[in-house]
Amino acid sequence: MKKGTLKQILLITDGCSNKGEDPAVTAALAKQQGITVNVIGILDDDQTEDPEGLQEVEDIALSGGGISQLVYKQALSQTVQTVTKQAMTQTLQGFVNQELKQILGPEQSLEEIEPDKRGEIMEVVEDMGETCDLEVLVLTDTSASMHDKLPTVKEALIDLSISLNARIGRNRFCIFSFPGKLKSIEKVLDWSPKLDSISTIFPKLTSGGITPTGPAIREAMFQFGKKGLLKNLRDEDEPGVEEAGY
């Protein structure tokens, strides 16, 4: 199968968007561009339910072809890793299903194949998950209510980088926060193979009151294209990497 790059936006937020366009609509646009949108909603320790916030988190992930998860901040690190890996598998399964329909016809899907054959196909999916290139743009809500959660977010992202380092495929991460001072989003860390350098950056993040989630997703979408324009200049030692959204 053709080598490609899995592209994910990982949105980390604790509340409802309150400015700009519907984030579910912009997540759907990202999906059309081959970018999966995953959402982690952080609950306060004493928070038992947040139906409005829960619904938006689910809607964004559903529209963006990704996975959503609500989590208390003490469990954030494991959740970030799990959601990222589950989203990879889900995206690859969708890709394999499309291939199967081309080979076996539109009525055949992975779930309908006999168990032995399905097991073999899932092994291929797992192998692809280890060998394909992965690009994750982390989009972090820094509105006022996120202030005390940002240290936990920082640790979770470092753990994510470490947990994915064992993969054969190349990892690339970047981090943007929203709201930005002048734009919807602000660059925190440019594309990098590791996230350990964020330790010195996160203390500088400032928090604001508004939550323009929709415009932030739209701006984040464009960062994948900008990176592509600079790739040849930055990665002359890694020629021949093919860009493809599964």
Side-chain angles (χ1 to χ4, degrees):
M1 288 185 181
K2 183 170 66 174
K3 181 180 178 180
T5 301
L6 285 184
K7 301 174 184 178
Q8 295 187 21
I9 292 174
L10 177 62
L11 171 63
I12 302 176
T13 182
D14 73 340
C16 302
S17 59
N18 56 20
K19 184 181 180 183
E21 60 201 303
D22 184 345
V25 172
T26 51
L29 291 174
K31 182 183 177 183
Q32 290 174 9
Q33 299 299 315
I35 303 167
T36 302
V37 183
N38 306 305
V39 193
I40 296 176
I42 308 178
L43 299 171
D44 290 315
D45 291 340
D46 57 353
Q47 193 172 351
T48 56
E49 61 177 344
D50 181 9
E52 189 178 357
L54 169 61
Q55 190 60 54
E56 181 172 275
V57 164
E58 289 182 346
D59 289 347
I60 294 171
L62 186 62
S63 297
I67 290 170
S68 63
Q69 186 77 49
L70 283 180
V71 62
Y72 292 102
K73 65 179 181 180
Q74 66 264 27
L76 180 64
S77 182
Q78 186 60 46
T79 304
V80 166
Q81 295 177 45
T82 301
V83 165
T84 302
K85 291 177 180 177
Q86 282 180 349
M88 288 171 62
T89 301
Q90 178 174 290
T91 304
L92 290 168
Q93 283 178 354
F95 174 71
V96 169
N97 263 331
Q98 289 177 354
E99 295 283 304
L100 287 174
K101 286 178 180 178
Q102 289 184 357
I103 297 168
L104 303 173
E107 304 304 318
Q108 191 83 45
S109 69
L110 189 58
E111 292 75 20
E112 295 165 330
I113 293 176
E114 58 187 86
D116 288 348
K117 293 290 184 184
R118 192 187 314 151
E120 292 177 19
I121 292 169
M122 286 308 300
E123 286 183 18
V124 172
V125 170
E126 289 177 12
D127 181 62
M128 289 169 67
E130 287 297 311
T131 58
C132 69
D133 292 341
L134 174 66
E135 294 178 350
V136 181
L137 185 151
V138 181
L139 189 56
T140 303
D141 179 355
T142 54
S143 57
S145 56
M146 280 287 290
H147 181 74
D148 64 335
K149 303 180 179 74
L150 290 178
T152 310
V153 172
K154 178 190 75 173
E155 296 303 325
L157 296 180
I158 292 173
D159 287 348
L160 171 66
S161 179
I162 293 170
S163 74
L164 293 177
N165 276 347
R167 295 179 62 253
I168 298 169
R170 186 181 63 172
N171 302 316
R172 278 181 177 272
F173 308 94
C174 68
I175 304 174
F176 283 78
S177 64
F178 71 100
K181 292 175 184 174
L182 300 175
K183 298 182 178 180
S184 298
I185 62 176
E186 193 160 321
K187 182 165 64 179
V188 177
L189 178 69
D190 206 351
W191 291 98
S192 169
K194 294 184 179 181
L195 287 175
D196 48 11
S197 55
I198 67 173
S199 296
T200 57
I201 299 169
F202 254 70
K204 299 175 185 176
L205 286 179
T206 56
S207 52
I210 61 170
T211 313
T213 309
I217 294 172
R218 179 181 288 274
E219 286 296 319
M221 209 169 47
F222 295 131
Q223 302 308 314
F224 291 90
K226 289 178 181 178
K227 170 201 57 59
L229 293 174
L230 299 173
K231 174 171 286 193
N232 291 335
L233 295 174
R234 293 181 178 173
D235 299 332
E236 290 177 351
D237 59 329
E238 297 175 304
V241 176
E242 181 179 356
E243 288 286 345
Y246 281 136

